[in-house]
């Protein structure tokens, strides 16, 4: 079934790209991004809709309901953002507060299906549990979204995050989504012919954190999300440094753009970041 999921995703992605090209619906690149990315304008986006649909078709009876919700709800937020961006013909789709509001509401809905109220092995109050996991699910979805700035980066880092978690918990229902994302990456390697868009990145981040929640492996999640955490921290530190001292720590944030402006090729950054994340993630196996 995993192979069927992979090939179905690959075939549907191929047709999806042609469909988007015929309609001339593509990504608008942010003006504040590196000039190196100008050639990417017009590349079909919202590719996450394909691997989400395929993963749900083949794995919906195997995945726990909160995982299904995470893909549908956060994928829905991303899809609205991607479509809004295309219709507005600019890089920004939904406003930040609109996305944040929906992320919080949907996180709470997902958490409501949890039967356990423990964090790091300690029993906590229901309100503490909700606050903690709302922060984590919302944060993780945004972290993957921030990482999705180079061809293949978010997808490969996500796979090196979820795979060790799946092995550690012996829950292989994730493989339906993993195989679908792998098929997407066939078309997302530089130069990408398709972007996952917010549809894919928000859904993958929510799925990863929700998986950690239902299996109570929040400590392991920290290790398996090392690159996502570093990417997010690079943005936070950059903003704080500039606002307080009018100085930038990095040439550009998120940090993958810093290395890009240092002269690293996209393929090298993707390879190094994914390798580091995999090495750190593998340390969780056997916990």
């Amino acid at each position: 079934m995993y192979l069927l999921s992979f090939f179905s995703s690959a075939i549907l992605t191929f047709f999806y790209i042609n469909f988007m090209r015929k309609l001339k619906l593509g990504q608008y690149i942010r003006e504040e991004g590196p000039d190196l990315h100008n050639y990417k304008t017009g590349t079909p986006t919202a590719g996450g809709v394909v691997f989400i649909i395929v993963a749900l078709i083949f794995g919906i009876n195997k995945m726990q309901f909160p995982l299904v919700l995470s893909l549908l709800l956060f994928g829905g937020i991303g899809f609205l953002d991607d479509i809004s961006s295309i219709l507005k013909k600019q890089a920004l789709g939904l406003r930040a507060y609109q996305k944040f509001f929906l992320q919080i509401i949907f996180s709470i809905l997902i958490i409501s299906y949890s039967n356990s109220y423990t964090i790091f092995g300690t029993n906590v109050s229901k309100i503490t549990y909700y606050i903690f996991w709302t922060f984590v699910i919302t944060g993780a979805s945004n972290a993957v979204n921030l990482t999705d700035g180079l061809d293949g980066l978010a997808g490969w880092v996500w796979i090196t995050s979820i795979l060790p978690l799946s092995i550690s918990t012996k829950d292989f229902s994730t493989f339906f989504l993993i195989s679908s994302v792998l098929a997407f990456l066939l078309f997302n390697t530089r130069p990408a012919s398709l972007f996952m868009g917010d549809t894919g990145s928000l859904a993958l981040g929510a799925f990863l954190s929700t998986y950690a929640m239902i299996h109570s492996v929040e400590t392991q999640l920290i290790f398996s999300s090392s690159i996502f955490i570093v990417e997010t921290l690079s943005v936070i530190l950059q903003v704080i440094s500039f606002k307080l001292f009018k100085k930038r720590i990095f040439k550009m944030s998120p940090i993958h753009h810093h290395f890009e402006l240092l002269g690293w090729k996209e393929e090298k950054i993707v390879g190094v970041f994914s390798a580091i994340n995999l090495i750190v993630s593998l340390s969780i196996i056997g916990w």
Side-chain angles (χ1 to χ4, degrees):
M1 291 295 286
Y2 301 136
L3 281 177
L4 190 57
S5 175
F6 173 85
F7 287 114
S8 297
S9 184
I11 293 170
L12 287 176
T13 299
F14 174 79
F15 285 109
Y16 177 81
I17 292 172
N18 289 331
F19 172 76
M20 293 291 280
R21 283 176 175 168
K22 285 181 180 179
L23 295 181
K24 296 182 179 180
L25 300 177
Q27 178 74 49
Y28 289 86
I29 305 301
R30 297 191 180 204
E31 293 180 1
E32 63 270 25
D35 292 336
L36 298 169
H37 290 191
N38 290 336
Y39 75 93
K40 298 183 180 185
T41 297
T43 302
T45 189
V49 71
V50 178
F51 61 69
I52 289 172
I53 290 174
V54 171
L56 290 176
I57 288 174
F58 289 99
I60 195 167
N61 292 326
K62 303 291 183 180
M63 295 180 190
Q64 294 189 47
F65 188 62
L67 292 176
V68 173
L69 270 185
S70 70
L71 291 178
L72 289 174
L73 297 179
F74 279 78
I77 298 173
F79 187 72
L80 285 175
D81 189 56
D82 290 332
I83 293 300
S84 178
S85 174
I86 291 172
L87 293 177
K88 292 179 181 178
K89 297 184 178 180
Q90 61 182 32
L92 298 176
L94 295 178
R95 295 184 181 275
Y97 76 86
Q98 293 173 321
K99 287 204 295 187
F100 189 59
F101 175 76
L102 289 173
Q103 286 173 313
I104 290 176
I105 296 300
F106 289 164
S107 294
I108 292 173
L109 180 58
I110 292 169
I111 297 166
S112 68
Y113 287 92
S114 177
N115 297 317
S116 171
Y117 297 109
T118 62
I119 300 175
F120 298 115
T122 303
N123 291 324
V124 296
S125 66
K126 188 174 181 179
I127 185 65
T128 299
Y129 187 83
Y130 269 76
I131 291 173
F132 175 81
W133 280 109
T134 297
F135 173 79
V136 173
I137 295 173
T138 300
S141 64
N142 287 320
V144 178
N145 184 241
L146 287 172
T147 306
D148 187 30
L150 300 179
D151 296 348
L153 181 60
W156 282 114
V157 173
W158 180 82
I159 285 175
T160 60
S161 296
I162 193 67
L163 188 58
L165 272 182
S166 300
I167 295 172
S168 175
T169 57
K170 296 180 175 61
D171 179 356
F172 303 112
S173 64
T174 60
F175 278 38
F176 291 104
L177 183 56
I178 290 173
S179 61
S180 296
V181 173
L182 281 172
F184 160 79
L185 286 169
L186 293 176
F187 304 90
N188 190 234
T189 303
R190 187 176 184 272
S193 54
L194 176 66
F195 298 143
M196 68 170 67
D198 283 15
T199 305
S201 60
L202 294 182
L204 292 181
F207 184 94
L208 177 65
S209 49
T210 300
Y211 186 88
M213 180 189 74
I214 63 179
H215 287 286
S216 298
V217 288
E218 47 272 22
T219 302
Q220 292 94 316
L221 178 65
I222 295 173
F223 285 85
S224 67
S225 304
S226 58
I227 290 297
F228 292 134
I229 292 172
V230 169
E231 292 272 11
T232 304
L233 287 177
S234 72
V235 174
I236 295 172
L237 292 174
Q238 184 87 322
V239 171
I240 292 175
S241 177
F242 187 75
K243 285 187 176 294
L244 294 180
F245 309 109
K246 302 301 179 183
K247 292 184 178 180
R248 292 182 172 85
I249 301 173
F250 309 102
K251 289 180 177 294
M252 185 177 288
S253 65
I255 198 170
H256 56 259
H257 288 321
H258 172 79
F259 286 100
E260 193 176 14
L261 293 177
L262 284 177
W264 287 33
K265 292 185 176 181
E266 287 192 45
E267 298 91 333
K268 180 178 179 180
I269 298 171
V270 172
V272 171
F273 278 35
S274 299
I276 292 173
N277 199 73
L278 179 61
I279 291 169
V280 178
S281 296
L282 288 174
S283 67
I284 69 173
I285 295 180
W287 282 30

